[in-house]
Structures are given as structure tokens and as C-alpha cells.
Amino acid sequence: MPKIHELSETLTNQIAAGEVIERPASVVKELVENSLDAGATRIRIDFVDAGLKQIVVQDNGTGIARDQVDLAFTRHATSKISNEHDLFKVATLGFRGEALASISAVSHVEILTATEGAIGVRATFSGGNKKGQEDAAARKGTKITVRDLFFNTPARLKYLRSPRTEIMKIVDIINRLALGYPQVSFTLSNTGKILLRTTGNGNLKQTVANVYGRHIAEGMENFSTKDNDFKVSGLMSKPELTRSTRNFISILLNGRYIKNFQLNTAIMDGYGSKLTARHYPIVVVSIKVDPLLVDVNVHPTKQEVRLSKEKELSRLITTAISNALVEKVEQTDAFANLENKRETLVDQLQLNLNQDVVNTARKKIPEVHDQADKPEFLTTKPEENKATETKSDAQYVDLNKPREDDKYIITKTWDQNVSRQQQLTPFSSSVADQEVISNGDETLANNLPRLAYVGQTDTYIIAENNGDLFLIDQVAARRRLQFEKTYQMIAAKKIVQQGLLTPIVLEFGNLDFIQIKDKIDQIKQIGIHLEDFGQNSFIVRSYPTWIQNNVEETIRQILDGYLNLDKGKSNNLFKRVAALEAKKAIKGKIQLSAAEAKQILTDLRKTTDPYHDASGRIILVRMSQNELRKMFKKDD
């Protein structure tokens, strides 16, 4: 076994860096947290090449004295704690004393700092070693420049993700810090382009507007509550404003962004059943608590903490959000909107099946009191009665024997009817005039029989086929037809543009802006042409003609669909867009002429699913002859 020896300071710093500095976003987090702990009210962050080439963090905090610069880059040197008792009441974001030492161990670092009324100092470090120090003119505060991250640990680079992903992680960290410190002005830029700028006026809603966009901030409501240990406040989105991931839920404990599954669950419990499946709200929860009730020294990145009275805090958060929803948000509980279970394919196929193969109507058989009253086929010979004296007098019908006096048993025409039925097909053999669709959809589309128009109420079209009665919801039917028209237009990419007299400017949060810009070519396929207008905004100069009205609102809803799109499900997006437009275009019932109603019945047969609109709402119901007879109690 090799001899035990003490590791060099450079190597220990690189090992420590492996725990704290995972990616460029980790560097940004540590440096900005130091700025906040230094009392800065203005912080500027600039980075180049996703932070690998250069990261610059500048603040107006207290600065570092010239004789303490070397200590600041030494492991386990900090101004945040003095003894073991301080670990139980940590009120700052950083306290481990490893950030600057770890960063300088894997990069080239330059620091320019000055305290109030003192001469500034500039120092350089590389690979954990100090390279030089000199006096320099500087304002109060600190400016740290990190270049060539991981230059001496290239193996670390292969674990990084794409530049876009690394940029989004940096943006996400600054977003959380900005939400936790609305009284601090943040400016974040990528290669000179501003990604985030907050005013620092202490208004959380305005900070949310800077981070997520004005449109989202306007749709959020305040909530607050407190007890003897916790004070909870923040902003929450209305139930209809959601995202497809939990990434837009921010839990800020004394300004520190934390990850906590139980508190996340408490937030969702506050919304109850008002959220649709796999959709999550946009929430900022600020929790103020005595530091003695929190242990932040459980994880190197300090994003996971231990909380005393966590269950009590969870109940407090759930109650605060639930009460705010009742007071400020008018929203029907989701259980009130549940529909009946959707009919199966087997149920749909029955529409066109021959009803006369087996008629299940049964005539009443009079009760049997004595042998004389029994029908011939239930009587037995005397010798048979002797053999069955101990058995019940009740006899059973031989179901395999054809008879005419009971329709519950096989009739003489059974074989003939079965033969006829086998020659029938539940769907047409000719689909030349229809688009290629899946087998299930094709079965549904061609299974609807030709309906003869009978009449209409103000809501329903009445039709019949072979004595069966059909009720058609005219709104759902028109939405299905509008959906088919819009979807075919988008899928065929034959989209006509209509120019706007006044262009529309759409503002977004930085994360949403990056995601939409990444999908801009895909969005163009549906006829929405977005131009980068700077400051996390797009300009729209024309729109596709399939958008009927409320152009800006419709485009925003479509773009929200892209933001909420689950990975690997982009093929369904055209249908979602068409369904959205169909619902907006057909808002309610109208007065139909007989010719218009007949045309709807004709066109409905050509759709991919004539039984449901794009949102799954039932279009028609059918009452068969037998059901109608039962309603009127016609047994004969």
C-alpha cells in the first residue's frame, strides 16, 4: 500500500472546487451571493461563451480591504461566522469560505476592490496561485473577472451541456436571486446583450414582471399569512396560467432559494383540484423565519436545508394559497367539469350494426301454477315425472333448439342473419376522398351513418337514421369542423398572411424568450413570424388568416403552448393550436338555417372523429329504436 502523505494546497483546492464549482452557473451563484452578503444594492453580471470564456460580477458593496485579499482566496476563511454557535444562526447566503479559493483553483481570476475612502487594489490568481497585486483606482465595491474556466481540469468540460442549456442555468440562478432580493438592482447580460434588468425598488410584482414578463405578472395575485414562527408572503398565478414543469415555483427562505419537496407539495395542495394534470403554477413564496429554526449546513451548494416545524410551515403555505384562491380568483373546481366516461370504439361501432340479428326483447311468460297451464314445451310425460319426483317441477328451455315462441332463444333465421351480418363492414371501403388517418380514427370517421335532418332546437340538431334518433350539439359540431379546417391548413403549410397596420410587440421573461427563440423556426411553420426586437421581446408584423380575432391574445396563447409543450410531443402541437383556434372562433350557439344544419351533418361524416370535438366534448348522442320503445314502455 502506498505511503500516506498530505495533499498539496493546489490539489486540495481543485478537489474542493469539484464540490462547489460544477459549471459556469455555480461561479455566478457564488460570486453574486458574496455581493449580496456585502450589502450591495446594484449588481451587474456579464458573461461570454456561456461563462466558459469570461464571467464578470461587479457590485457596490462594502469591498475587501487590501490586507485581506489574500485571506479571501484562502480555503475556510470567511467573515460570515466566527465560532460553532454561529452555524446555528446563519443569516448570510455564503459562509463556508470556499468560493473564491475553489474558483481560482480552476480558472484565471482578477479582483478589483476598494472599501469606503480607501485606495483600491487589483490582484490576479491562476490555478490556485497568486500571480500579482497592485494598487488601482476603484470605486467602493468589488469587481471579479473569471476567465478560461476549467482550463486546468479539461475533463470537467465533457460533463457540461450545450451552451444554450448552460446559459439558461445562469439565467435561472439570477432570476431566483432577483426574486429573493427585489430591493437589489440586477443587470445580467450575455456578450453585451441584456437578458435581465430589475429596478431594485423593492416591489416584488415589478421584479416578477422583469423576470417572467409583464403579461405573467399581471395575472398573479398576492397572498400572505403568518404564525408565531413563520411569515409567508408572495405571488401566485391564477389556475389557468401554468407551465409544464415545476421550475417556475420559487421558494425563498430568508432570501435564499431552496429546493424542498414537501413545501412544493404544500403549494400544489393549496391549488387543490383547480389545476389540470401535469401543469404547475407560477409561484414565488417568500418565507421569513428565525435562523435558529434552519440548518443550511447540509449541502455544499446550500440549496437544500433542514427546517424545524416543516409540517407546520407546509400547512401554513397551503392555507395561504387556498384562501387567496377563494378570495381573489373565480375558478370552478375541476371536479365540477368532469364529463361522463368517453364512449369506446365498440360503442361507436354499434351505430352501423344490423339491429335485427338478435332482438333481446322478451315476452312475459305467465306464471306456471299447475301441469294443465304449462305450455306444451314445458310439459313432461308421466313416466318422466316418476323419475324426477324429488326434483323441482321447474323445467329449463333448451337454448340450442330453434323455436318461434320466445325471442330469448335462437330463431330459425339465426344462421341467415349471421351470414348477412358477416358480409357487412362497419366502415366504407372507399376512402379516396379523405386524408390518411390512423386505423382507430378511420373506424370512427366512416362508422357514422348518413343522418337525415329532422329539425332543431336552439342548441341541438335533430336527425334520424333507420328509426334511430340522433341529437347533435351544434357548437361542438362546428368546433370539430373548424378544427379540421385549421389543422389541415397548418399541416399543409398553405398559410396566407395578413399584414398588421400596427405591429404587435410581445414581451417575455428571459427564460421564456430563450425557449421561444430556440423554437422560432418551428413556430414559423404555423404562420407566426417572430422577429427579435431586443430586450427579451419579439415583434409581429403579420398574422396567419386562420386567426379570426384577438390576434395578440391568440398568438400569446399559442406561444404559451410551445412553452408548456412536453418533450417529445411536438408532433401534437399543430392539433393543439388548431383546437385552440377552433374554441376561440366558435364561442356559442347561433341560429342555423335548415340548409346550414344539413351541411353540418354532411361535413361531420368526413371528419376524423365525428363524435367529439378537439377538446373531447361529445358531439352527438344516439337513441336506438329499442331505447325509445323502453322509454315509452312499449314492450310489445
Side-chain angles (χ1 to χ4, degrees):
M1 179 179 178
K3 293 182 179 180
I4 298 174
H5 62 280
E6 186 177 359
L7 297 177
S8 67
E9 184 178 355
T10 300
L11 188 55
T12 55
N13 284 341
Q14 289 182 357
I15 293 172
E19 294 181 344
V20 180
I21 310 303
E22 300 175 345
R23 54 182 10 108
S26 305
V27 175
V28 173
K29 175 180 180 293
E30 297 292 342
L31 295 181
V32 174
E33 286 182 348
N34 281 345
S35 296
L36 292 169
D37 288 340
T41 58
R42 294 192 307 274
I43 303 174
R44 183 180 182 91
I45 308 100
D46 303 275
F47 62 91
V48 179
D49 192 16
L52 290 173
K53 186 175 182 180
Q54 180 174 286
I55 298 172
V56 180
V57 177
Q58 185 174 3
D59 65 63
N60 65 342
T62 57
I64 302 174
R66 58 184 299 111
D67 60 343
Q68 292 189 326
V69 171
D70 289 350
L71 266 177
F73 284 83
T74 303
R75 288 187 66 205
H76 309 309
T78 181
S79 61
K80 316 293 175 63
I81 58 175
S82 300
N83 52 56
E84 65 273 15
H85 300 293
D86 291 339
L87 278 178
F88 300 101
K89 52 179 181 179
V90 174
T92 56
L93 296 177
F95 57 87
R96 290 172 177 262
E98 294 181 352
L100 293 178
S102 298
I103 293 169
S104 65
V106 291
S107 65
H108 305 301
V109 179
E110 178 185 285
I111 181 172
L112 176 64
T113 184
T115 56
E116 184 72 37
I119 299 176
V121 60
R122 176 185 285 110
T124 56
F125 298 81
S126 179
N129 300 314
K130 186 176 181 180
K131 297 300 181 182
Q133 179 174 323
E134 60 182 359
D135 293 343
R139 297 179 179 179
K140 188 189 78 165
T142 304
K143 177 182 179 182
I144 296 180
T145 303
V146 179
R147 297 186 180 93
D148 302 327
L149 187 61
F150 302 134
F151 79 97
N152 56 352
T153 53
R156 204 71 69 75
L157 295 173
K158 68 181 182 180
Y159 295 104
L160 299 180
R161 302 183 68 178
S162 67
R164 172 182 169 276
T165 301
E166 297 299 330
I167 290 173
M168 291 184 66
K169 289 188 177 295
I170 293 174
V171 170
D172 184 59
I173 283 176
I174 300 303
N175 285 349
R176 312 282 189 182
L177 290 170
L179 294 172
Y181 290 83
Q183 72 276 16
V184 177
S185 173
F186 288 86
T187 302
L188 175 66
S189 66
N190 174 23
T191 319
K193 181 177 180 180
I194 301 296
L195 298 180
L196 173 68
R197 179 181 283 134
T198 65
T199 59
N201 61 2
N203 188 324
L204 179 59
K205 196 160 191 175
Q206 187 169 346
T207 303
V208 169
N210 297 139
V211 172
Y212 294 138
R214 177 179 55 83
H215 180 69
I216 288 180
E218 290 174 348
M220 300 185 76
E221 299 288 348
N222 293 290
F223 66 91
S224 63
T225 188
K226 63 180 180 179
D227 62 9
N228 294 332
D229 299 305
F230 304 99
K231 181 179 179 181
V232 176
S233 61
L235 289 169
M236 47 175 273
S237 66
K238 296 177 182 178
E240 61 267 21
L241 180 59
T242 59
R243 289 290 182 265
S244 60
T245 70
R246 292 186 175 90
N247 292 341
F248 287 78
I249 298 176
S250 297
I251 302 174
L252 306 162
L253 184 67
N254 292 338
R256 181 195 305 277
Y257 169 65
I258 64 170
K259 297 178 180 179
N260 187 292
F261 177 78
Q262 185 165 336
L263 298 185
N264 264 285
T265 302
I267 292 171
M268 299 299 294
D269 289 344
Y271 278 85
S273 61
K274 293 178 174 64
L275 297 173
T276 56
R278 295 183 298 278
H279 280 75
Y280 305 93
I282 302 171
V283 180
V284 180
V285 180
S286 177
I287 305 168
K288 300 298 181 182
V289 60
D290 189 328
L292 287 172
L293 296 178
V294 185
D295 182 5
V296 297
N297 191 31
V298 297
H299 194 274
T301 64
K302 304 179 286 291
Q303 287 190 357
E304 297 178 11
V305 301
R306 287 196 184 98
L307 271 168
S308 298
K309 301 185 178 181
E310 190 171 283
K311 291 183 179 179
E312 289 82 352
L313 176 58
S314 297
R315 285 195 292 268
L316 195 65
I317 291 174
T318 299
T319 302
I321 292 177
S322 179
N323 290 341
L325 284 172
V326 172
E327 294 174 4
K328 302 177 181 180
V329 180
E330 295 182 2
Q331 176 75 15
T332 304
D333 196 273
F335 285 114
N337 297 325
L338 289 178
E339 294 182 349
N340 292 330
K341 186 177 179 181
R342 180 172 173 169
E343 294 176 321
T344 63
L345 274 176
V346 175
D347 297 327
Q348 303 290 357
L349 288 174
Q350 289 177 353
L351 291 176
N352 199 34
L353 292 179
N354 187 340
Q355 300 294 322
D356 297 325
V357 174
V358 179
N359 192 334
T360 58
R362 183 180 182 182
K363 293 183 178 180
K364 290 184 178 180
I365 301 177
E367 295 183 8
V368 179
H369 298 287
D370 53 49
Q371 190 73 15
D373 294 331
K374 292 182 182 179
E376 180 183 352
F377 67 91
L378 288 181
T379 59
T380 56
K381 298 178 181 180
E383 56 271 16
E384 291 178 350
N385 285 334
K386 294 179 181 179
T388 57
E389 287 179 353
T390 59
K391 295 183 181 180
S392 172
D393 290 336
Q395 300 291 323
Y396 295 93
V397 177
D398 184 359
L399 295 179
N400 295 315
K401 182 179 180 181
R403 304 196 63 87
E404 292 296 339
D405 42 18
D406 192 336
K407 292 188 177 180
Y408 235 6
I409 59 178
I410 298 176
T411 64
K412 294 181 178 180
T413 60
W414 172 270
D415 293 333
Q416 180 183 353
N417 286 338
V418 169
S419 177
R420 284 175 49 203
Q421 185 64 33
Q422 290 175 342
Q423 296 174 9
L424 296 175
T425 174
F427 38 85
S428 172
S429 59
S430 175
V431 292
D433 57 338
Q434 299 186 20
E435 61 178 333
V436 178
I437 52 180
S438 67
N439 291 336
D441 286 342
E442 183 181 10
T443 302
L444 291 174
N446 293 285
N447 189 54
L448 184 66
R450 294 188 180 277
L451 302 179
Y453 174 75
V454 174
Q456 59 181 306
T457 66
D458 63 341
T459 305
Y460 303 102
I461 301 171
I462 305 171
E464 69 88 23
N465 174 266
N466 292 333
D468 293 342
L469 184 65
F470 292 81
L471 292 178
I472 297 92
D473 184 336
Q474 62 141 290
V475 174
R478 287 163 52 222
R479 283 181 178 172
R480 164 53 65 176
L481 297 177
Q482 181 65 38
F483 165 80
E484 298 277 340
K485 178 181 176 181
T486 304
Y487 175 68
Q488 290 174 9
M489 188 184 300
I490 295 175
K493 300 180 182 178
K494 296 179 180 178
I495 303 172
V496 179
Q497 291 288 315
Q498 172 68 47
L500 287 165
L501 294 176
T502 303
I504 299 172
V505 178
L506 304 173
E507 298 177 355
F508 291 93
N510 41 37
L511 282 176
D512 288 348
F513 177 81
I514 292 173
Q515 292 187 63
I516 290 175
K517 190 172 183 180
D518 189 55
K519 297 182 175 72
I520 200 165
D521 291 335
Q522 187 179 0
I523 296 171
K524 189 176 180 180
Q525 294 178 6
I526 64 173
I528 298 177
H529 300 266
L530 303 175
E531 299 177 27
D532 190 342
F533 199 57
Q535 289 293 326
N536 298 332
S537 63
F538 296 101
I539 188 170
V540 181
R541 303 184 188 276
S542 63
Y543 65 94
T545 53
W546 52 261
I547 296 180
Q548 303 293 322
N549 45 38
N550 296 329
V551 178
E552 181 176 353
E553 180 185 352
T554 301
I555 291 176
R556 281 193 176 277
Q557 290 179 337
I558 291 170
L559 296 180
D560 281 345
Y562 276 91
L563 294 173
N564 283 322
L565 188 64
D566 296 333
K567 292 182 178 179
K569 294 186 178 180
S570 58
N571 292 337
N572 296 331
L573 192 57
F574 287 176
K575 291 185 177 180
R576 291 174 59 177
V577 171
L580 172 66
E581 181 55 26
K583 188 173 183 179
K584 289 175 64 65
I586 311 297
K587 294 184 177 180
K589 59 189 178 183
I590 61 174
Q591 185 64 41
L592 295 173
S593 66
E596 290 172 330
K598 291 178 182 178
Q599 190 61 47
I600 288 176
L601 296 178
T602 301
D603 294 342
L604 203 57
R605 297 189 70 245
K606 302 176 183 178
T607 61
T608 54
D609 182 356
Y611 305 100
H612 303 88
D613 68 5
S615 62
R617 180 179 172 184
I618 295 174
I619 293 178
L620 61 84
V621 293
R622 161 184 166 270
M623 289 176 282
S624 67
Q625 293 185 63
N626 284 340
E627 290 170 334
L628 291 171
R629 291 174 64 86
K630 290 177 183 178
M631 289 180 187
F632 290 97
K633 297 183 177 181
K634 292 185 178 181
D635 294 329
D636 297 329

